[in-house]
């Protein structure tokens, strides 16, 4: 799995590369290569970091991004996922096993969030979501809500489970799980699974 590293700090970059060297499933891309996944290591999630994240996602290879941050607050996490991040990790959680898991999940199109951060997002969104009209004066498609099946699948996606694991837990076929996620992203014009999770949390539907 070809992986590249982007960091604002050369010390953080060196540390991230050292961790990736110990991951047997991945290899660092050569200069000028086309990575499948980019690990972006930052101190915080602010406007400059989000701008760089978007730039990385818009590269010709369209790599998936795993964002490793010193701290992750709910708002920053949502903005990062909306900007295109596939996985989120706190720096203290980015050991060999954690970083490898997040990178491989991103390469499969899955997203990962720290469990406690997901719980905080769920608690906050449970206080009430957005309903009503969209910015164009029409009906907001999220106001129609998600079915119980869609909500169950998205919760497990947000928790980092793979398609086969979700299918087993919910007693569905893997094809059904894939179809549910595809229907959500198409219906609400979202880019991917991570984008779907972020917006479902933001409007209080998870």
């Amino acid at each position: 799995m070809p992986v590249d590293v982007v960091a604002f700090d050369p010390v953080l970059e060196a540390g991230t590369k050292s961790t990736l060297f110990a991951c047997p499933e991945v290899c660092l891309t050569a200069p000028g290569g086309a990575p499948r996944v980019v690990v972006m290591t930052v101190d915080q999630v602010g406007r400059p970091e989000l701008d760089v994240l978007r730039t990385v996602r818009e590269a010709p290879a369209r790599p998936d991004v795993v964002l490793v941050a010193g701290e992750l607050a709910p708002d920053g996490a949502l903005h990062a996922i909306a900007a295109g991040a596939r996985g989120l990790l706190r720096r203290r959680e980015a050991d060999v096993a954690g970083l490898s898991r997040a990178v491989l999940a991103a390469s499969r199109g899955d997203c990962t969030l720290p469990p406690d951060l997901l719980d905080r997002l769920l608690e906050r969104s449970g206080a009430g979501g957005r309903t009503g009209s969209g910015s164009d004066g029409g009906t907001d498609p999220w106001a129609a809500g998600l079915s119980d099946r869609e909500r169950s699948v998205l919760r497990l996606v947000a928790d980092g489970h793979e398609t086969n694991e979700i299918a087993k837990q919910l007693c569905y076929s893997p094809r059904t799980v894939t179809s549910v996620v595809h229907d959500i992203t198409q219906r609400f014009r979202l880019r991917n699974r991570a984008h779907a999770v972020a917006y479902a949390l933001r409007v209080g539907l998870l």
Side-chain angles (χ1 to χ4, degrees):
M1 177 66 60
V3 178
D4 200 1
V5 175
V6 170
F8 283 51
D9 186 319
V11 174
L12 294 179
E13 180 179 355
T16 303
K17 287 183 176 179
S18 177
T19 302
L20 288 170
F21 273 127
C23 300
E25 301 91 345
V26 307
C27 64
L28 291 173
T29 55
R36 178 88 171 271
V37 176
V38 169
V39 177
M40 183 175 166
T41 306
V42 300
D43 283 320
Q44 60 185 0
V45 181
R47 185 181 297 275
E49 290 78 12
L50 293 172
D51 287 343
V52 172
L53 197 163
R54 293 186 186 97
T55 299
V56 171
R57 284 287 294 134
E58 292 169 0
R62 301 288 297 172
D64 292 309
V65 177
V66 172
L67 182 69
V68 179
E71 292 298 331
L72 278 171
D75 283 342
L78 287 174
H79 286 308
I81 294 175
R86 281 282 195 192
L88 302 176
L89 280 176
R90 296 186 183 90
R91 196 177 304 147
R92 63 179 179 270
E93 300 163 339
D95 56 10
V96 174
L99 190 55
S100 178
R101 175 173 174 268
V103 167
L104 293 176
S107 71
R108 294 189 298 264
D110 294 326
C111 64
T112 52
L113 286 78
D116 66 295
L117 179 60
L118 176 60
D119 288 342
R120 290 171 64 189
L121 290 169
L122 293 174
E123 289 170 2
R124 191 178 70 169
S125 67
R130 181 184 67 191
T131 59
S133 298
S135 59
D136 60 356
T139 301
D140 187 336
W142 285 103
L146 298 171
S147 68
D148 289 342
R149 181 169 71 170
E150 289 171 336
R151 187 175 291 107
S152 296
V153 169
L154 272 188
R155 281 180 182 271
L156 292 174
V157 168
D159 204 26
H161 292 285
E162 299 179 22
T163 297
N164 288 338
E165 293 173 334
I166 296 171
K168 184 176 181 180
Q169 288 197 38
L170 299 180
C171 298
Y172 298 151
S173 70
R175 183 175 180 179
T176 295
V177 173
T178 300
S179 177
V180 167
V181 175
H182 177 76
D183 287 347
I184 294 170
T185 56
Q186 291 297 305
R187 187 161 79 246
F188 301 125
R189 300 179 183 178
L190 302 169
R191 292 189 298 274
N192 50 48
R193 293 183 176 201
H195 200 191
V197 170
Y199 275 90
L201 288 167
R202 179 175 295 178
V203 301
L205 292 176
L206 276 181

